[in-house]
Amino acid sequence: MSGYNLIWVFIAVVIASAAGYVLTPKGDNQTVIRTIIIMTLACCYMSWAITYLAQLHPLIVPKKTGMRPHLE
């Protein structure tokens, strides 16, 4: 696991956003459709990136003491 995955996925999201911007059909709702596509991709990327970074660099280190009582 490395932080480079964030960059690769960001590049994929930018390419998908550009494709959605260019390939949106003409019409009355073209701007709304473009906005929905780009905002959906941006929000999904941010949720994924925050979750990924939280697992990659946790803020709290788990402690193992006192998990189970010792049977002696």
Side-chain angles (χ1 to χ4, degrees):
M1 292 181 58
S2 69
Y4 289 116
N5 290 341
L6 289 170
I7 297 169
W8 293 116
V9 174
F10 179 74
I11 292 170
V13 167
V14 168
I15 291 170
S17 296
Y21 186 84
V22 172
L23 299 175
T24 304
K26 302 264 185 213
D28 295 336
N29 295 327
Q30 183 179 21
T31 306
V32 174
I33 295 170
R34 283 179 176 172
T35 304
I36 290 171
I37 291 171
I38 294 171
M39 288 300 294
T40 300
L41 289 170
C43 290
C44 286
Y45 172 75
M46 289 299 294
S47 323
W48 173 81
I50 290 169
T51 304
Y52 184 80
L53 284 174
Q55 293 177 12
L56 189 61
H57 301 290
L59 295 176
I60 301 171
V61 178
K63 295 180 182 178
K64 195 172 181 178
T65 59
M67 296 290 286
R68 296 183 187 173
H70 296 288
L71 300 174
E72 294 181 46

